[in-house]
DNA sequence: TTCTTTATTGAGAATGAGTCTCATAAGAGT
DNA sequence: ACTCTTATGAGACTCATTCTCAATAAAGAA
């Protein structure tokens, strides 16, 4: 569980300022849990009376993503979604085409295989996108 | 190699009309080879003096994609790219973060593993997106 | 071939997620 | 408290993609 102090340290170590807006966006996304877009975060904050502008939500989410606090997820509907990265391990996503549900999965062997393939081509793996679009059986 | 007659059959079997514009978009994408966005297809057609509107390129590409003639590829820059699906087998993509190059790869075991994981969760795999973002070693 | 029906097209307007501008506010170091 | 610089808010703006609608042309019938 990342504390606000840790958020402060991470931001400041990169030359970013530790502002109340950034705290609010970060804490809100953590509290919400799951995968959410900027508009949802903005609405949630607004409904609580806190004043964080839409632009700041977008900017903050971007800062957090660049610093590994948050993960960006694009499922193909043109809306970027984000999830707070606590201490949890890496995982990929299954998206149910019936319900829109996002199920997380992790497979050791799958991760290894990707590395192997990339190496075979003379490259280094920086990141990957792996999404399985499924239907209920 | 898909012939124009095959294009006609596929379109008409789905109730779509076999129009010169659709032939031009399809043949142009095939001729170009590789992964291209709608603007590139539009420009290419325009440079050859053929008159196909931008809207029609977008609409046609969508029709072709829905009918398995074309594959959509989103690499995260907000521009959808497409590639003609001839008779070639399935493949996924490595995107070089240095050059923007798109390298195709296929791994039997990887494909099998995905199926296994999805089944384990009680779902059926409909499609998947697997992109490896890499850097030159 | 001509007629009818209905999908398609072109041109440009509209959409909308995300970005940018700029004047004002406020972190952080001294 | 002062200074320097980054962050914020409000709204304008971007730009890929979609939509509108009048005009056009496939496809099937006769
Ligand atoms: Mn997740
Ligand atoms: Mn390809
Ligand atoms: Zn993974
Ligand atoms: Zn694959």
């Amino acid at each position: 569980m990342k504390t606000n102090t840790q958020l402060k340290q991470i931001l400041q170590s990169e030359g970013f300022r530790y502002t109340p807006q950034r705290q609010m966006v970060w804490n809100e996304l953590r509290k919400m849990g799951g995968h959410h877009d900027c508009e949802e975060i903005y609405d949630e904050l607004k409904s609580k009376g806190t004043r964080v502008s839409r632009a700041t939500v977008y900017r903050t989410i971007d800062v957090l993503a660049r610093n590994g606090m948050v993960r960006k997820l694009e499922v193909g509907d043109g809306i970027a979604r984000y999830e707070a990265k606590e201490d949890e391990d890496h995982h990929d996503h299954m998206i149910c085409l019936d319900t829109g549900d996002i199920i997380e999965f992790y497979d050791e062997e799958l991760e290894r295989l990707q590395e192997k393939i990339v190496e075979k081509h003379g490259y280094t793996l920086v990141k990957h996108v792996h999404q399985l679009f499924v239907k209920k059986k």
Side-chain angles (χ1 to χ4, degrees), chain A:
Chain A
M1 220 270 292
K2 284 202 178 72
T3 65
N4 280 38
T5 307
Q6 281 177 300
L7 173 64
K8 181 175 183 182
Q9 289 175 339
I10 290 171
L11 286 175
Q12 295 189 337
S13 73
E14 298 294 322
F16 293 106
R17 290 178 183 171
Y18 180 62
T19 68
Q21 287 87 345
R22 287 176 177 161
Q23 294 171 56
M24 291 164 91
V25 170
W26 167 242
N27 287 316
E28 191 54 46
L29 183 58
R30 288 169 64 194
K31 204 178 303 165
M32 293 169 87
H35 313 80
H36 304 278
D37 61 48
C38 286
E39 200 63 25
E40 288 173 337
I41 300 168
Y42 172 69
D43 288 342
E44 194 60 31
L45 286 172
K46 197 167 60 176
S47 78
K48 295 184 177 175
T50 53
R51 42 176 117 286
V52 179
S53 73
R54 202 184 314 264
T56 293
V57 172
Y58 277 99
R59 285 184 289 224
T60 296
I61 272 295
D62 188 62
V63 167
L64 295 179
R66 286 180 194 286
N67 290 87
M69 312 282 293
V70 150
R71 181 171 172 202
K72 188 176 188 176
L73 186 65
E74 295 173 293
V75 295
D77 62 355
I79 302 171
R81 290 164 191 279
Y82 302 85
E83 63 181 322
K85 286 168 72 176
E86 301 281 350
D87 317 280
E88 61 200 26
D89 293 316
H90 166 74
H91 63 259
D92 291 301
H93 301 95
M94 284 170 54
I95 296 101
C96 180
L97 293 169
D98 294 318
T99 63
D101 288 351
I102 298 178
I103 304 109
E104 303 181 341
F105 73 88
Y106 176 77
D107 186 274
E108 181 80 38
E109 196 180 345
L110 208 48
E111 299 294 327
R112 248 201 315 270
L113 253 172
Q114 297 177 82
E115 292 282 357
K116 207 169 78 183
I117 291 165
V118 167
E119 294 293 326
K120 201 192 306 173
H121 286 260
Y123 287 93
T124 304
L125 186 58
V126 176
K127 61 173 181 174
H128 64 271
V129 172
H130 200 180
Q131 300 173 340
L132 308 180
F133 294 85
V134 302
K135 276 193 187 303
K136 281 189 190 121
K137 218 168 181 178

